[in-house]
Each structure stands twice: as C-alpha cells, then as structure tokens.
Amino acid sequence: MIRLIVLLQLVGLALAGPISVTTVAPARCPDGFSLLNDITCVKLLETPRLYQDALNSCKNFDGGNLASVKSEMVASLFFELCLTFIFEENSFLVNLAAVKNSVHPIWLGLICYSSANSSCNWADATGTTAGYSNFARGNPKSSSGNNVYLLTAGSSSGKWVSADGNVVTLNYFCEVPATGVETPCPNEFNESCYIYNQTLLSEADARISCQNQFFGELVSIHSQEENDHVQALIRNTSLVRIGVRTNGVGMYWDDGSYFDFNNFASFRPDTENCSAMQILQGSVDPGKWLSDSCDEKIGFVCKRLKGHSSRSPNPGPTFNPNNCYGTHYFSGQGEIVSPNYPNSYFGMGTPCTYIFTVPSNQIAQIKFRVLKLDDQSTISLYTGIEGTVPIIELTGSTSAGSGSYSSGSNVLKMVFKNEKRKYDATTKWSANYGWNL
Ligand SMILES: *[C@@H]1O[C@H](CO)[C@@H](O)[C@H](O)[C@H]1NC(C)=O
Ligand SMILES: *[C@@H]1O[C@H](CO)[C@@H](O)[C@H](O)[C@H]1NC(C)=O
Ligand SMILES: *[C@@H]1O[C@H](CO)[C@@H](O)[C@H](O)[C@H]1NC(C)=O
Ligand SMILES: *[C@@H]1O[C@H](CO)[C@@H](O)[C@H](O)[C@H]1NC(C)=O
Ligand SMILES: *[C@@H]1O[C@H](CO)[C@@H](O)[C@H](O)[C@H]1NC(C)=O
C-alpha cells in the first residue's frame, strides 16, 4: 500500500517562516512508464505472453527488461508541494496494477533454479532474491515451474508465486532505466561495470579519467563474450582505447588482471604503443585489437569490479555539506559533517549519498565523533558503490553518540536521509572517514 504522508507540520513551518528547500532535477521516465525507484521506470503491459516472449518484448524498449523488485527499500520523492510519498517497490507494482484495474497475475523478471529463494535470479542481472523476496507460502516451488508471477488481487495480493512460463501466458511489467540519473553499475557484465566515454583523450589522460570519474581502470578483457559486450557499447567511431600494453616479453592489463585472452589482430603489438579496439571496419576487423599511439586522442572504455573501486586515494574535493543532495565522492582520509553543521541539519535537502574510497588493499571505515539523529532521520551504510542491503542503519533511538563502522571492501557508501518532520536544534553529526580508524 502506498502511504501518502502529507507533511502538515512542515507546511505549517514553511508558512511560519522561510525554510531552505533544495530543488533537484528529478529522474525521468519514457512515456507510459512510472518511476519505481531513483533509477528505474516500470510499465504494465497488458498483452498476456509466455515468459520468454514477455522478456523479448521488454527488450524492445531501450535498456528494457522484465521488472525486478530489488528491495522493500523506502524511496521518497520530495515535491514542491511538500508531499512525500513513501513506498515499497513491491507495493508500488501492485498499486500500478490496481490503477489499471488489472486483477490478473503479472510476470516478474525472475527465474528460480530450485525451491530455495537464493536460487532465484533477477532477469536484469541485479542479483538473487536471497536478500529480499515476497514469496507466497510454499514458494518458490520448482515443481510448478521456474518463472514467477506477482499476485495483484485477493488476500495474497503482492505475493510471488512460481509458474511455468513455457505454458502460462500473463501480463508483465517491463522496466527501463530512468534518465537524468547515473546508474550505479552501468553496463553490468559478469560482476563488473563498464562505461564508454566519448571524450577524446590520450591514453594517459584516459587512464586518469577512468580512475577519477569512474573509480576504475581502462578496460581489461578476458573472454570473447566480454569483448562482444565492450564492442556493443560503442557505435560510430573507428577506434576505442582499451587498457592493454606489451613490454616486449609479455602483455599486461592496466588493471593488473591476468592476460588470459588475446584478440590482437597481429602477433606483434608494438612495445612503444598503446592499444585500441577496432569498431568500424578499418585496417583490422571490428572487435579486434591493434597497436595505437598512446598520444592519439580517442574515446575509451573504463571498467571496475561491481562494489569495488581501484581508485588510489588523493585529497578529496572541497565539499560544501549544505549542498549535499546527490552523490559525493571522497577518497583517502578526512572529515565529513552533516549539512548546516554545527547547527541542526533540519530543513536541509536530502538524501545525501557519500562514497568513501580507500586504497584497494584496505577496508573503508567511518567513525562518528558526534551523532545525534532524530527518529525521522537515518544514516545507512553499505559495502560498495552499488550496495543495496545496509550493513547498518542508524536512526534516533538506535544511534549511539559515536561509533566506528567498516565496509566489506575498500568502498563504503553512506546515505543520509532527513525526513524533515520534527525540528530539533541538537540534531547533527560529524565523522572521520578512512581506514584503520
Ligand atoms: C530465504 O529462504 C531462507 C531459508 O528458507 C529463509 O530463512 C529466508 O528468510 C528467506 N529469505 C527471504 C528474503 O525470504
Ligand atoms: C569522460 O571523461 C571526461 C574527462 O575526464 C570527464 O569529464 C567525464 O566526466 C567523463 N564521463 C563519464 C561519464 O565518466
Ligand atoms: C566471469 O568472471 C570470472 C571471474 O573473473 C571468469 O573466470 C569468467 O571467465 C568470466 N566469464 C566471462 C564470460 O567473461
Ligand atoms: C557518425 O559520426 C559522424 C562524424 O563522426 C557523424 O557525422 C554522423 O552523424 C554519426 N552518425 C550517427 C548515426 O551517429
Ligand atoms: C605506433 O602506432 C602508430 C599508429 O598509431 C604507428 O604509425 C607506429 O609505427 C607505431 N610505433 C611503433 C614503434 O610500432
């Protein structure tokens, strides 16, 4: 059920005096799609299809897939009218069906290989249902089939049920990425994230850009499938930079990974030159690699492991905590404070997302020196950039005066949300980030 919370207190306060409200460009969806969470749009398709046909139909949309339900995470949208909608993704889908008067079950993009919830994989490659699921009692049930639908009517409305997508035809939800937002793990493949940057740069500058803008390295490629994946990201250019070099003895990848797949068109790449992948037909076939001057300014592909970052620490940027809406990146060690510190964070725009990166052989940590949250505010800590299941969620009643927390990797993500319902002059926090704290 969508809970609609009208912030009467806030409206009252807003009328009583000036209040600072940060407005942001919201994520947008294509026509007919609704925003499911910060990064995904969904649409109900009311032409019953077998599972695979439904999946193929969704893939006709740009970046499309059958919909997944990542978590019961609460998403909130802040409108100028001071209305805050708080909803769960699963309930949002049920509601979307109700709005269309659809009482029929609807395919989710989920395949289960056994009757264990950990064997169910989302079609959009965002993981399994081990962390969050909403199966009806006795499900998933592999004897009923490998596919899963969502019930949208009756007392089990919202529950997930196994069925055989080779014989059952149902309506289905398609999802596409929202525009105007950065997807956390773009172009995911085999637990890595990739980005094609069209900026024309020399090899040295491209390497720095991958490290600083993407927290990765120039792409390394380890199989024909991965090569195809990278090639498919790029269109309409002749060459694109990849991160392989040779020293005359062996070949090596910039990201330090093992050279276990060779796609050079010639047997003898140049020792003084860098490398590129041919895209449009040229001196070698598309997809093949060739030597290319390190100084030539061309587009490039960056890669990083999902949830990790290879970024080497350097002093973080100057940060104005009052302007925290969105994502802010920090590396190395430093200090961070709540918006409007040392005054209360009340009324400042959130959520604020902070990504802390430490050297790749260290564990990222945060240590609070001051921590006074009210019941309406939360600080959630996650392992990695794409983490969706918090390591811990701190809020008014559970947050101690201080504390030290560790990521499971060299990257720690922290999301601060302030629901702005209650004024309390003492609410604020300050912390050190880094490692070995
Ligand atoms: C997944 O199944 C296990 C074992 O049956 C259960 O303990 C766990 O709560 C389930 N997880 C979810 C998210 O439903
Ligand atoms: C592409 O590289 C340029 C130059 O480093 C950088 O400003 C830009 O943010 C990069 N784009 C992406 C999407 O990483
Ligand atoms: C996926 O990654 C694993 C581990 O790095 C590797 O062994 C495997 O070959 C990769 N698969 C493909 C298709 O690239
Ligand atoms: C391809 O690139 C050329 C110039 O590099 C440009 O003129 C042309 O419009 C592009 N075509 C497409 C389909 O993007
Ligand atoms: C390096 O590559 C360029 C083409 O980009 C080529 O003209 C040059 O001969 C190569 N240098 C060496 C030493 O092979």
Side-chain angles (χ1 to χ4, degrees):
M1 184 69 70
I2 288 185
R3 285 183 289 146
L4 174 62
I5 298 177
V6 182
L7 298 177
L8 288 175
Q9 298 100 311
L10 180 55
V11 173
L13 275 168
L15 294 175
I19 184 166
S20 116
V21 172
T22 310
T23 50
V24 284
R28 280 165 312 175
C29 291
D31 279 352
F33 282 82
S34 314
L35 194 63
L36 173 66
N37 56 38
D38 293 345
I39 57 171
T40 316
C41 306
V42 285
K43 177 180 183 168
L44 174 60
L45 281 292
E46 295 183 279
T47 310
R49 291 190 200 279
L50 299 174
Y51 180 88
Q52 190 60 44
D53 295 340
L55 180 63
N56 293 341
S57 154
C58 288
K59 290 199 165 174
N60 286 333
F61 294 107
D62 203 12
N65 217 313
L66 276 170
S68 65
V69 187
K70 273 112 193 169
S71 70
E72 56 190 338
M73 184 182 73
V74 169
S76 68
L77 305 171
F78 192 72
F79 287 88
E80 281 155 30
L81 293 173
C82 297
L83 300 180
T84 298
F85 295 88
I86 297 180
F87 54 74
E88 298 170 41
E89 291 188 15
N90 197 59
S91 310
F92 185 79
L93 294 183
V94 172
N95 199 67
L96 211 56
V99 167
K100 288 194 142 197
N101 288 322
S102 171
V103 294
H104 303 292
I106 300 174
W107 286 131
L108 296 174
L110 189 57
I111 295 190
C112 299
Y113 297 102
S114 78
S115 294
N117 55 25
S118 56
S119 80
C120 301
N121 288 266
W122 291 113
D124 59 8
T126 48
T128 73
T129 58
Y132 169 72
S133 70
N134 200 32
F135 287 104
R137 212 184 169 77
N139 286 275
K141 193 158 114 198
S142 48
S143 58
S144 303
N146 294 333
N147 307 107
V148 175
Y149 61 72
L150 171 74
L151 288 168
T152 59
S155 58
S156 295
S157 176
K159 291 292 177 188
W160 307 350
V161 177
S162 295
D164 185 352
N166 295 316
V167 295
V168 180
T169 63
L170 295 175
N171 295 341
Y172 51 100
F173 285 115
C174 292
E175 67 178 24
V176 295
T179 53
V181 292
E182 201 185 330
T183 50
C185 182
N187 305 306
E188 188 176 341
F189 173 81
N190 198 18
E191 297 295 310
S192 290
C193 320
Y194 302 77
I195 195 166
Y196 168 43
N197 192 321
Q198 303 190 44
T199 315
L200 305 179
L201 296 178
S202 68
E203 192 266 354
D205 289 344
R207 200 152 20 93
I208 291 167
S209 176
C210 286
Q211 290 168 354
N212 290 350
Q213 312 298 323
F214 195 63
F215 310 104
E217 296 288 346
L218 280 172
V219 70
S220 66
I221 299 174
H222 300 279
S223 63
Q224 186 60 50
E225 290 86 348
E226 188 172 18
N227 201 66
D228 294 344
H229 178 72
V230 170
Q231 192 184 348
L233 300 177
I234 307 143
R235 290 193 187 92
N236 199 22
T237 188
S238 108
L239 293 175
V240 70
R241 181 74 65 204
I242 58 175
V244 64
R245 299 283 300 266
T246 176
N247 55 12
V249 181
M251 317 249 211
Y252 60 94
W253 292 105
D254 281 334
D255 66 5
S257 58
Y258 191 59
F259 189 86
D260 50 5
F261 173 70
N262 188 348
N263 207 31
F264 274 102
S266 87
F267 288 112
R268 289 187 176 277
D270 319 322
T271 48
E272 283 116 65
N273 272 337
C274 295
S275 311
M277 182 191 283
Q278 187 80 44
I279 301 300
L280 297 176
Q281 183 68 47
S283 55
V284 304
D285 285 341
K288 288 289 183 183
W289 311 339
L290 70 171
S291 287
D292 172 75
S293 163
C294 300
D295 295 331
E296 191 179 354
K297 293 186 165 66
I298 54 176
F300 52 98
V301 176
C302 311
K303 171 184 174 182
R304 66 170 149 76
L305 271 178
K306 194 176 176 188
H308 283 67
S309 154
S310 65
R311 181 172 175 168
S312 49
N314 51 28
T318 315
F319 176 63
N320 171 7
N322 291 349
N323 217 350
C324 82
Y325 199 105
T327 304
H328 302 274
Y329 298 93
F330 303 87
S331 57
Q333 304 193 288
E335 193 185 323
I336 179 101
V337 297
S338 52
N340 207 27
Y341 193 88
N343 299 316
S344 167
Y345 54 68
F346 174 83
M348 307 306 290
T350 68
C352 315
T353 301
Y354 312 86
I355 310 280
F356 305 105
T357 299
V358 302
S360 44
N361 56 348
Q362 299 290 348
I363 290 294
Q365 292 181 317
I366 187 145
K367 183 172 187 175
F368 290 96
R369 290 181 289 118
V370 177
L371 187 56
K372 287 182 184 160
L373 300 178
D374 57 274
D375 290 342
Q376 315 291 322
S377 302
T378 54
I379 289 179
S380 308
L381 301 174
Y382 304 83
T383 291
I385 296 178
E386 308 88 6
T388 52
V389 181
I391 305 161
I392 189 164
E393 187 161 277
L394 305 165
T395 184
S397 41
T398 59
S399 65
S402 62
S404 176
Y405 302 95
S406 299
S407 168
S409 76
N410 75 320
V411 181
L412 176 71
K413 179 168 78 173
M414 172 166 117
V415 179
F416 171 55
K417 287 185 184 169
N418 157 29
E419 297 291 355
K420 306 179 196 171
R421 271 173 257 166
K422 198 167 69 184
Y423 179 70
D424 178 344
T426 68
T427 53
K428 61 183 163 189
W429 52 263
S430 97
N432 291 101
Y433 59 86
W435 65 98
N436 290 339
L437 296 179

